[in-house]
Amino acid sequence: MLPSADLPTISVFGLGYVGCISAACFASRGHPVVGVDVDVRKLDLLRRGIAPLVEDRLGELVADAVASGRLSVTENATDAVLTSDVSLVCVATPSTPGGGLSTAYLEAVTAEIGTALAGKDGWHTVVYRSTMLPGTCEELLVPRLEQLSGKHVGVDFGVCVNPEFLREGSSVRDFLDPPKTVVGQTEDRSGQVVMELYAGLPGPRFRVPLAVAEMVKYVDNSFHALKVDFGNEIGAICAALGLDSHEVMDVFLSDDKLNLSAAYLRPGFAFGGSCLPKEVRALTHTARRHDVDAPVLAHILASNEAHLRRALDMVLSLGKRKVGLFGLSFKPGTDDLRESPMVELAERLIGKGCDVRIYDHDVALSRLTGSNKAHIDERLPHLAELLTDELDTMTQHGEVLVVATKDEAALSAVERAPAGTVVVDLVHVPRLRETRSSAEYLGLSW
């Protein structure tokens, strides 16, 4: 494929793993590409059409792109910026000794691009592919570009964050068949420019704020690491019990409704009920009995407890004593109170001297029997005095209204709460944020 006059020219800064793959793949899609690096050995190899790293299909893509004239390389950053429409920054962001992130290479390349932009007429889009912590682009790199160019982002040039989702060994395939395309943008013009670079490729597409795009990569890789550790811990426990771990996990992996799905992954309140706490507790106990170290499993309940404390601290930090709780069962749509985090939250608020009232459409004292009745009698014997069916009484009583239900009647009552009442949302109800002032709405983790 020959370079197309309709396709923007791309300069790629940093010809390591991500940069080389990006340069070769964009060139294979018809873009004129100029690679920039300080390593003369890489540049020499690429000028001869030789890939500087081993990766399936990369060698043939590089050879073809160089032979066709679509891919060239240079040490001159200014020339690369002046002769391109889009600059991709793909330099390394290594860990510091303390676990932080080094931005030294990012800052160096940003300085080169910013200096070059000072002498360029016309619009230019700077795109960061490097992995960096949320806020790095907006707080560190954009100001540097503006300072050195003497220009303004969104007016004279654009900035985007475009994280890559490439796996070594299959990176060319991943580039051409991505799981998703994410573009963080300073403004629509730049976001559109970058998204069009991936025209025709499959997968969902997202145009989001810069920091959201930065965060996505960390969420992805942390979850991948968590999955590896979870699978290995299950394997170790199965081996200690004489079970075939792969047979167990084959059954686990077959469930794409609850296990390999979006279920349970959206931020909300702590888990509870008769199953999750009990089974996690029992499995970690089994691991200890068989001398299997399983730190991921062992810290699940500790993490859940920390999330409950976040909610407690959020309510207490307001310095208001009168609290209305909407929702008491361990999750909406049930009357099961066993190990309910809302019961625990109510108990702790009362212990801190709060005047608590509770409404839960699914929990009626007159109908409670068995384990639910026993749980109330044992854990919160004065619950009968706190429960009410009067929604307006709840909203008039509470200086703080804690929402842990999506019951329509309860939500409507919260929306009618007097001005000045603070709503603490534990289950993510966007309409409550829309109907309250910024000082009257607190989301637990959003």
Side-chain angles (χ1 to χ4, degrees):
M1 182 185 295
L2 293 174
S4 169
D6 297 328
L7 295 177
T9 298
I10 302 172
S11 53
V12 179
F13 285 78
L15 296 172
Y17 179 78
V18 173
C20 195
I21 298 296
S22 298
C25 287
F26 278 123
S28 75
R29 287 169 54 78
H31 289 273
V33 178
V34 53
V36 187
D37 205 288
V38 296
D39 189 335
V40 294
R41 293 170 299 177
K42 288 181 185 177
L43 298 182
D44 180 59
L45 287 171
L46 286 166
R47 286 191 182 101
R48 292 186 283 138
I50 301 172
L53 52 94
V54 176
E55 181 68 29
D56 185 44
R57 292 182 58 192
L58 180 61
E60 61 190 78
L61 289 184
V62 168
D64 180 65
V66 171
S68 67
R70 293 191 304 272
L71 175 60
S72 61
V73 295
T74 182
E75 297 174 69
N76 193 312
T78 299
D79 285 349
V81 172
L82 296 179
T83 58
S84 63
D85 306 294
V86 179
S87 292
L88 298 185
V89 179
C90 304
V91 296
T93 51
S95 294
T96 63
L101 197 72
S102 171
T103 58
Y105 301 126
L106 276 174
E107 293 181 67
V109 169
T110 296
E112 290 182 320
I113 295 174
T115 301
L117 287 177
K120 179 171 184 174
D121 296 326
W123 185 266
H124 194 85
T125 303
V126 182
V127 185
Y128 291 95
R129 294 272 273 169
S130 302
T131 301
M132 51 187 170
L133 292 166
T136 303
C137 188
E138 194 165 11
E139 298 169 15
L140 177 66
L141 304 180
V142 169
R144 188 71 168 149
L145 287 171
E146 290 184 320
Q147 176 192 16
L148 291 171
S149 68
K151 299 180 178 181
H152 299 288
V153 69
V155 177
D156 306 301
F157 66 94
V159 174
C160 289
V161 172
N162 175 219
E164 48 80 20
F165 306 102
L166 308 175
R167 297 168 295 174
E168 293 191 39
S170 63
S171 58
V172 172
R173 184 168 70 251
D174 291 340
F175 184 101
L176 299 174
D177 185 16
K180 57 183 174 288
T181 299
V182 180
V183 176
Q185 60 186 42
T186 51
E187 27 57 48
D188 287 340
R189 178 178 179 177
S190 293
Q192 185 64 27
V193 167
V194 178
M195 194 60 82
E196 286 178 355
L197 298 179
Y198 301 95
L201 297 183
R205 294 163 175 256
F206 302 91
R207 289 169 64 178
V208 297
L210 295 175
V212 171
E214 290 168 320
M215 184 64 174
V216 162
K217 184 65 181 292
Y218 286 94
V219 174
D220 279 23
N221 282 347
S222 294
F223 188 53
H224 299 161
L226 177 63
K227 288 191 290 184
V228 171
D229 281 349
F230 178 81
N232 288 338
E233 287 190 6
I234 294 299
I237 295 171
C238 286
L241 297 175
L243 303 176
D244 184 335
S245 62
H246 281 260
E247 185 174 16
V248 170
M249 293 307 285
D250 283 344
V251 177
F252 172 83
L253 294 170
S254 70
D255 182 351
D256 59 7
K257 183 176 181 180
L258 297 179
N259 292 345
L260 300 186
S261 71
Y264 308 118
L265 280 174
R266 297 207 179 272
F269 193 35
F271 64 75
S274 61
C275 296
L276 269 59
K278 176 171 66 72
E279 264 102 71
V280 170
R281 205 175 287 124
L283 189 57
T284 53
H285 175 70
T286 298
R288 287 195 303 272
R289 284 182 54 228
H290 289 82
D291 295 324
V292 174
D293 189 16
V296 169
L297 289 170
H299 284 84
I300 290 175
L301 292 178
S303 177
N304 198 52
E305 163 65 20
H307 201 51
L308 193 156
R309 288 200 307 271
R310 287 187 195 103
L312 177 66
D313 292 343
M314 181 176 286
V315 176
L316 294 176
S317 69
L318 297 170
K320 301 177 185 292
R321 286 191 63 255
K322 294 184 177 181
V323 180
L325 302 182
F326 289 86
L328 188 65
S329 58
F330 86 93
K331 68 177 182 178
T334 178
D335 65 351
D336 195 344
L337 299 172
R338 288 173 291 179
E339 299 210 42
S340 168
M342 285 304 295
V343 170
E344 187 65 29
L345 180 61
E347 197 169 19
R348 296 187 192 187
L349 287 170
I350 294 167
K352 293 291 185 179
C354 293
D355 181 1
V356 176
R357 296 290 182 274
I358 304 170
Y359 172 88
D360 191 317
H361 175 267
D362 298 312
V363 177
L365 287 174
S366 61
R367 296 199 305 269
L368 289 178
T369 59
S371 58
N372 284 339
K373 182 67 164 60
H375 191 78
I376 291 176
D377 291 341
E378 295 169 8
R379 296 294 305 278
L380 209 58
H382 45 295
L383 186 63
E385 301 173 9
L386 307 180
L387 277 168
T388 178
D389 293 329
E390 299 295 329
L391 286 168
D392 288 335
T393 299
M394 287 281 294
T395 56
Q396 292 298 321
H397 166 82
E399 299 170 296
V400 180
L401 301 180
V402 180
V403 179
T405 180
K406 295 189 178 180
D407 173 66
E408 182 57 37
L411 297 181
S412 295
V414 172
E415 288 178 314
R416 296 194 302 269
T421 305
V422 180
V423 174
V424 176
D425 181 3
L426 303 184
V427 290
H428 193 238
V429 185
R431 66 190 252 200
L432 294 180
R433 177 165 48 191
E434 295 165 4
T435 57
R436 312 297 297 182
S437 71
S438 59
E440 295 175 347
Y441 175 90
L442 293 174
L444 178 56
S445 50
W446 44 86

